[in-house]
Structures are given as C-alpha cells and as structure tokens.
Amino acid sequence: MLARNRQIRREVTDKAGRLALEQVDFSLPVLVGDVAGLMAPLAERRGLQFSDAIDAGAPRALRGDRTRVAQVLLNLLGNAIKFTERGSVELSCRYHAPDLIFEVRDTGRGITPQQAANLFQPFSQGDPSITRKYGGTGLGLVLTRNLAAALGGTFSLKSSVP
C-alpha cells in the first residue's frame, strides 16, 4: 500500500507541474466587471470602498485564459480586502503596449521591506501574527506569482508602507 501511495503522489505531482492554459477570446470589460461584481460586496461588508477602472486605451477584446486571469485578480483582491481594515481597495487596468497591467491598491496595514523580501516564499507570511488573526498558509501569493508567470506575465509588489 505504501508503494502505491508513493506512485499516486508522484502522478499528482507530475500533473500539478503542468498547467493547461485555454486560449479563448474574451472581453476585458466583462472580465473586470465580473471580478469586481464578486469582490465589491465583500469589500462593502467590511466597510471599504471598492473601485475598478480600465484605461481608455486598453484593448477591449483579448485572447488567453480568462479563468486564470480572473483567479489571479480574485486572489490579489481577496488579500487586499482581507488585510484592509478601513479605507479602500482599487483594481485598475492600464495598457502600456504591449503589456496589459493590472494593479491592486489598498489602504491596508502595509509591510516592512524585511517582510516584503519574504513575501513570495512558500509558507511564509509577513508577520507570524497574521496566521493567528487571518488564517492562511502563506501559499496564495506564491501560487499567484506562478500562475501569472504561466500566463506569460510577471507579478510583484510595487510598493508598501507599514
């Protein structure tokens, strides 16, 4: 039985290492609207203002994996809402040819440069008290960064002030 479990675990690991991405046509405004429609009520329940914006110059029609792009945005916005006690959370999309740039801004607690250095390490969180207060495993941002890379993009912390 132990050998069989190792084999199953190996197969799962092999499958998890390969991510099949869809290539479908989709609308950027509809995608942003759908994501905002899911996240705005969560922000509002916490007493936060939520906004979203798409630059006028951004392409409206895209081709790629709409579901995975939405997963990245949902995770980032979920974190922003979770770690923001008052103020606002914003999702913006701008176009700097050939890149489409999504940015999430919030008025949350912020992190120090030392915490930022460990932010994308598996099972690491900015502050040990975060796990007690908010839960989580410290994998969300690591997985989100990997997913963004699989989509051909990059993912980083632009700035944070504690």
Side-chain angles (χ1 to χ4, degrees):
M1 184 68 168
L2 184 59
R4 179 170 160 59
N5 285 344
R6 283 189 191 142
Q7 180 182 4
I8 290 170
R9 203 170 298 123
R10 225 181 348 263
E11 289 172 8
V12 170
T13 302
D14 289 347
K15 288 179 184 174
R18 286 182 238 123
L19 179 64
L21 298 174
E22 282 188 314
Q23 291 298 312
V24 297
D25 295 328
F26 66 94
S27 164
L28 177 63
V30 171
L31 168 72
V32 170
D34 289 349
V35 167
L38 290 170
M39 301 311 287
L42 297 175
E44 290 167 8
R45 272 188 286 232
R46 290 186 50 94
L48 305 172
Q49 294 178 342
F50 183 89
S51 63
D52 62 274
I54 302 173
D55 279 354
R60 296 314 197 225
L62 299 173
R63 181 162 184 80
D65 195 324
R66 180 195 192 283
T67 301
R68 303 299 184 190
V69 173
Q71 285 177 323
V72 168
L73 296 176
L74 289 169
N75 189 38
L76 296 177
L77 289 167
N79 277 353
I81 292 167
K82 179 172 32 172
F83 295 112
T84 301
E85 293 185 15
R86 62 185 173 286
S88 63
V89 174
E90 305 169 14
L91 168 63
S92 65
C93 178
R94 44 192 183 88
Y95 185 62
H96 190 293
D99 298 321
L100 191 59
I101 302 163
F102 291 100
E103 189 170 82
V104 174
R105 291 175 165 237
D106 63 66
T107 57
R109 60 187 274 159
I111 60 175
T112 67
Q114 295 81 12
Q115 291 167 330
N118 292 322
L119 197 58
F120 299 106
Q121 299 302 313
F123 306 109
S124 175
Q125 292 187 334
D127 179 342
S129 67
I130 287 175
T131 303
R132 285 190 307 279
K133 184 172 181 179
Y134 299 101
T137 60
L139 285 175
L141 293 178
V142 174
L143 295 173
T144 300
R145 180 181 249 184
N146 291 343
L147 189 52
L151 291 166
T154 60
F155 171 67
S156 63
L157 173 66
K158 188 173 178 181
S159 66
S160 185
V161 178

